[in-house]
Amino acid sequence: QVQLVESGGGVVQPGGSLRLSCAASGFTFSSYNMHWVRQAPGKGLEWVAFIQYDGNNKQYAESVKGQFTVTRDNSKNTLYLQMNSLRPEDTAVYYCAKDQGGGSCSFDYWGQGTLVTVSS
Amino acid sequence: QTVVTQEPSFSVSPGGTVTLTCGLSSGSVSTSYYPSWYQQTPGQAPRTLIYTTNTRSSGVPDRFSGSILGNKAALTITGAQAEDESDYYCVLYMGGGIWVFGGGTKVTVL
């Protein structure tokens, strides 16, 4: 069965950096586009980043462009999100999500999320 | 900046029907936006309900259906049950590898 397990969250000071990981299993990771989605405490979902199956196309929400970088290692079945210059408003649960594929432009499986808290 | 709109909240009686909508601050939602819907209960990860407008995800009960109603995407729950009390989010594909979520609708079943 498909499993997505995020890790790397924690408490970081404003201006700091953090790298999140998402370990994937149960499907051919190298064949699917992947996403990061976040949810601030008590708020709604916000799409953050997209990476194509081969890593050759990446897109970001305006709110994180130039600050976050999404990458993947298909040999390790792992998705990453490098977050720099963190601000309190980046505090959120970060979910990785598998793209449905087949041109559906949607998400099918989600991880349980990892909490990032930006605070001094 | 494109804003995806959803009703903040809805209340439905057990066994009743409720239709949630997903619109755009400017323009109409069509199938070209590949609308999809997600259900989330507090403390849990989202669950995929509907994708490409009206395709139910595996294991989703058929009381959930998706459509385009007028100029919006819609999620209808027919015969609501207590376990349907959740937050519901739509997301639209804007093209160019960009997605935008709506603000979510909190559905209460009582």
Side-chain angles (χ1 to χ4, degrees):
Chain A
Q1 73 281 22
V2 172
Q3 276 201 309
L4 299 170
V5 179
E6 302 93 338
S7 61
V11 180
V12 60
Q13 291 190 338
S17 297
L18 213 53
R19 188 178 83 155
L20 306 182
S21 300
C22 170
S25 61
F27 66 102
T28 306
F29 181 71
S30 59
S31 296
Y32 286 90
N33 302 334
M34 296 292 293
H35 303 262
W36 286 100
V37 175
R38 69 183 179 182
Q39 186 170 36
K43 303 296 185 182
L45 299 172
E46 179 187 15
W47 174 82
V48 170
F50 157 88
I51 185 167
Q52 190 169 281
Y53 64 95
D54 57 2
N56 286 340
N57 184 16
K58 306 172 186 181
Q59 301 295 333
Y60 302 90
E62 283 297 326
S63 58
V64 305
K65 197 175 289 186
Q67 183 191 2
F68 290 4
T69 301
V70 59
T71 58
R72 64 191 296 161
D73 186 337
N74 285 344
S75 69
K76 296 182 178 178
N77 290 345
T78 303
L79 174 72
Y80 302 99
L81 186 68
Q82 177 67 44
M83 305 185 296
N84 297 330
S85 303
L86 284 162
R87 305 181 283 248
E89 53 264 38
D90 296 315
T91 294
V93 174
Y94 285 75
Y95 298 100
C96 65
K98 173 184 168 291
D99 194 279
Q100 184 105 18
S104 70
C105 300
S106 62
F107 324 119
D108 54 2
Y109 290 93
W110 300 70
Q112 282 302 304
T114 187
L115 176 62
V116 172
T117 303
V118 184
S119 174
S120 54
Chain B
Q1 176 153 344
T2 301
V3 175
V4 177
T5 61
Q6 293 186 248
E7 299 87 358
S9 62
F10 256 121
S11 184
V12 60
S13 300
T17 296
V18 63
T19 297
L20 316 182
T21 67
C22 176
L24 285 169
S25 55
S26 178
S28 298
V29 176
S30 66
T31 57
S32 300
Y33 284 89
Y34 298 89
S36 54
W37 293 89
Y38 304 86
Q39 177 191 51
Q40 188 183 37
T41 52
Q44 298 297 312
R47 170 198 181 196
T48 303
L49 294 178
I50 301 286
Y51 60 95
T52 52
T53 306
N54 55 13
T55 304
R56 264 188 303 277
S57 191
S58 177
V60 173
D62 60 8
R63 64 179 180 273
F64 292 94
S65 62
S67 63
I68 297 290
L69 285 182
N71 62 349
K72 296 181 180 182
L75 174 71
T76 299
I77 309 173
T78 304
Q81 301 188 6
E83 61 261 35
D84 298 334
E85 186 160 297
S86 297
D87 295 323
Y88 292 85
Y89 295 92
C90 71
V91 67
L92 301 179
Y93 178 59
M94 299 301 175
I98 303 294
W99 282 258
V100 179
F101 277 93
T105 298
K106 183 177 183 64
V107 172
T108 303
V109 181
L110 51 72

